[in-house]
Amino acid sequence: MTNEIILNLKKTAMRRRESGHLWIFSNELENIDTSISAGTICRILRPDGGTEGRGFFNPRSLIAVRLLQKGKTPLNPDFIEERISTALSYRRQAGIEKYCRLVFSESDNLPGLIIDRYGDVFIVEILCAGMEQLKDKITSAIVKLFRPRAVHYRNTSRFRELEGLEIYEETEYGSLPDEISIEENGLNYIIPIPDAQKTGWYYDQRENRAFLEPYFTGRRVLDLHTYLGGFALTAARSGAAQVWGVDSSAKAIEYAEKNALMNGLADRVIFQKAKAEHMLEALEAGLLPEKPDFILLDPPNIVYNKKCLSQGIKMLSKMVYQAVTALPQGGLLAVSTCSNHITRELFTESLAKAAGKTGRTVSLMELRGQAKDHPVILGMPETEYLHFALLRIM
Ligand code: SAH
């Protein structure tokens, strides 16, 4: 490639480069030329003159470079389509190609790009300036590979501001339906697309929902952050004696009820709009008519950065304490967190502390992470964000 813009790595940056991480921070570059426009693909040189690789450069961001390719081979001009195609092959092999996270950013070699597939509807989220510039290529690759009904950009993440990107939503291709339906683990779900949270469905919990199936049998299950009923309906279908699904969003509850009806499970699940913390307080005070013996906690992420970490851990610990206290001997508690600032170690340590305070003995039956369509890159802890624990009260 001619006229490539060159960025020089500092000597001190080289040790971290060996970790396999795909970001280069601004303090790892010799100089930051602010006249280079955000998102330009640059060539990165090592202090010895060798090519480290090519990546998106953003002079405004702390994450100065997001590597697209390591080594000296230039980028294929069709890399977007090629990499979406590779991401598809992997999901196909895993048996989840129709309803899945089709592209998970760095984990699919497409930094700052998320594509969630809902059959023939594709919801895309762009998180960095370099990808924003390639939007037309992304849309045309999806159109070519899938002949979709709609390609919709939900560019509403607050992380976009760190890249100097505006917040907006638009349908770039076809027309976006008001509702879409998906199938997961043998259940069907309707998702209200214009009002959906995030891109619509939490595919990252697919395998954890399936994992819990045998443990739900005969249980009285309280799913405190049910959204559209993912865990609650899995419990009902798996022979739970009674299921209560709670969410603070009225829209979520409306659709969770629709989903229960659609799957013929409405007689076994009660959905209610309420706050999880109020339910836990009511449970603690003995104000609920029936006591659950299985509680699920899957709160939204409030830990957007390190500054919110201690507050997030405090909230989680309080909920875990209350849930452990409310459960009978032999009771089960499934807890999830979804912030990449909470490491696996911090997660288990916090669970242990909260459980310890209750005076009960609690065993960790299983520790799990995000589903296969959200691969973790070794050496890049930011790609591992979902932690899931199944606990048993002894
Ligand atoms: N368990 C769900 C995903 C949960 S996402 C699944 O498997 O699909 C987190 C959910 O918590 C969202 O639906 C959000 O509306 C809800 N929520 C946010 N604050 C809450 C609160 N204080 N009490 C109960 N639900 C809350």
Side-chain angles (χ1 to χ4, degrees):
M1 237 189 262
T2 49
N3 298 331
E4 269 188 309
I5 294 176
I6 304 287
L7 303 171
N8 292 293
L9 281 169
K10 284 184 186 164
K11 257 195 189 139
T12 48
M14 288 318 292
R15 223 162 113 202
R16 220 178 64 80
R17 298 290 346 115
E18 282 158 23
S19 68
H21 208 287
L22 297 172
W23 293 345
I24 294 165
F25 293 105
S26 53
N27 63 359
E28 295 178 311
L29 292 175
E30 283 292 357
N31 54 344
I32 300 280
D33 180 349
T34 50
S35 68
I36 301 172
S37 70
T40 305
I41 296 177
C42 296
R43 179 169 171 178
I44 297 97
L45 291 187
R46 299 188 199 113
D48 68 5
T51 300
E52 176 69 9
R54 287 171 174 85
F56 291 135
F57 175 57
N58 188 341
R60 302 194 198 194
S61 173
L62 261 178
I63 305 169
V65 178
R66 290 166 195 261
L67 278 176
L68 286 160
Q69 184 148 301
K70 291 181 185 171
K72 58 178 190 234
T73 314
L75 266 174
N76 172 353
D78 291 329
F79 79 93
I80 293 279
E81 185 187 321
E82 188 185 85
R83 292 177 186 191
I84 295 178
S85 198
T86 303
L88 171 66
S89 306
Y90 166 64
R91 272 84 182 157
R92 184 171 285 159
Q93 196 159 41
I96 46 172
E97 70 182 283
K98 199 165 173 205
Y99 305 111
C100 64
R101 173 147 295 186
L102 177 67
V103 168
F104 181 45
S105 206
E106 274 81 1
S107 301
D108 284 295
N109 253 327
L110 288 162
L113 179 64
I114 305 277
I115 306 179
D116 279 352
R117 178 176 185 189
Y118 300 91
D120 55 6
V121 173
F122 292 74
I123 311 280
V124 186
E125 193 177 11
I126 291 177
L127 299 165
C128 74
M131 267 306 163
E132 188 75 26
Q133 288 188 11
L134 299 177
K135 206 163 104 183
D136 290 347
K137 286 200 176 200
I138 298 165
T139 310
S140 50
I142 297 173
V143 170
K144 185 171 161 200
L145 291 168
F146 302 97
R147 304 188 169 278
R149 177 174 171 194
V151 180
H152 181 78
Y153 285 78
R154 180 157 282 173
N155 283 332
T156 53
S157 164
R158 60 162 73 184
F159 292 112
R160 285 174 62 86
E161 285 160 17
L162 301 174
E163 287 275 321
L165 295 170
E166 50 169 340
I167 302 287
Y168 69 90
E169 269 201 58
E170 73 187 0
T171 303
E172 287 278 314
Y173 179 87
S175 70
L176 187 71
D178 286 343
E179 288 179 347
I180 49 179
S181 56
I182 64 155
E183 197 254 285
E184 182 192 274
N185 299 328
L187 288 165
N188 298 298
Y189 299 91
I190 302 176
I191 300 166
I193 278 301
D195 301 300
Q197 295 178 18
K198 298 284 182 75
T199 68
W201 183 248
Y202 295 97
Y203 283 125
D204 51 5
Q205 291 277 28
R206 179 200 304 108
E207 291 165 22
N208 295 331
R209 294 184 192 110
F211 161 76
L212 286 180
E213 282 174 22
Y215 299 101
F216 283 135
T217 314
R219 295 265 174 185
R220 295 185 307 280
V221 179
L222 175 61
D223 178 8
L224 282 173
H225 305 88
T226 198
Y227 186 44
L228 308 180
F231 281 105
L233 295 178
T234 307
R237 199 264 318 267
S238 307
Q242 178 63 53
V243 183
W244 297 273
V246 171
D247 201 282
S248 59
S249 151
K251 198 77 187 177
I253 291 299
E254 182 193 328
Y255 274 79
E257 280 170 346
K258 276 193 191 191
N259 289 330
L261 269 174
M262 195 171 57
N263 289 285
L265 296 168
D267 56 333
R268 266 173 280 170
V269 199
I270 299 169
F271 286 109
Q272 189 186 334
K273 177 185 175 301
K275 288 200 163 180
E277 40 287 30
H278 295 165
M279 294 298 287
L280 285 167
E281 276 158 24
L283 206 56
E284 215 177 2
L287 295 175
L288 296 185
E290 285 184 82
K291 276 191 113 185
D293 57 7
F294 194 148
I295 297 178
L296 291 119
L297 300 173
D298 185 11
N301 177 26
I302 62 155
V303 185
Y304 292 106
N305 53 42
K306 289 226 167 85
K307 273 190 226 151
C308 330
L309 187 57
S310 68
Q311 195 202 347
I313 293 293
K314 221 166 145 183
M315 278 179 62
L316 177 77
S317 303
K318 185 172 176 195
M319 280 196 279
V320 170
Y321 174 88
Q322 288 175 311
V324 171
T325 308
L327 282 164
Q329 192 180 8
L332 296 175
L333 173 62
V335 188
S336 304
T337 59
C338 57
S339 162
N340 59 20
H341 296 285
I342 301 178
T343 59
R344 192 69 42 115
E345 292 69 35
L346 180 58
F347 177 62
T348 48
E349 201 180 285
S350 311
L351 294 180
K353 274 193 194 153
K357 270 194 199 151
T358 64
R360 321 259 318 253
T361 302
V362 177
S363 79
L364 175 62
M365 291 175 67
E366 181 98 6
L367 191 57
R368 301 170 59 89
Q370 58 225 41
K372 285 182 203 67
D373 43 352
H374 300 65
V376 174
I377 295 285
L378 290 178
M380 196 167 177
E382 292 83 355
T383 58
E384 182 175 56
Y385 68 97
L386 182 77
H387 306 299
F388 169 98
L390 179 62
L391 307 175
R392 190 161 67 97
I393 319 303
M394 310 283 281

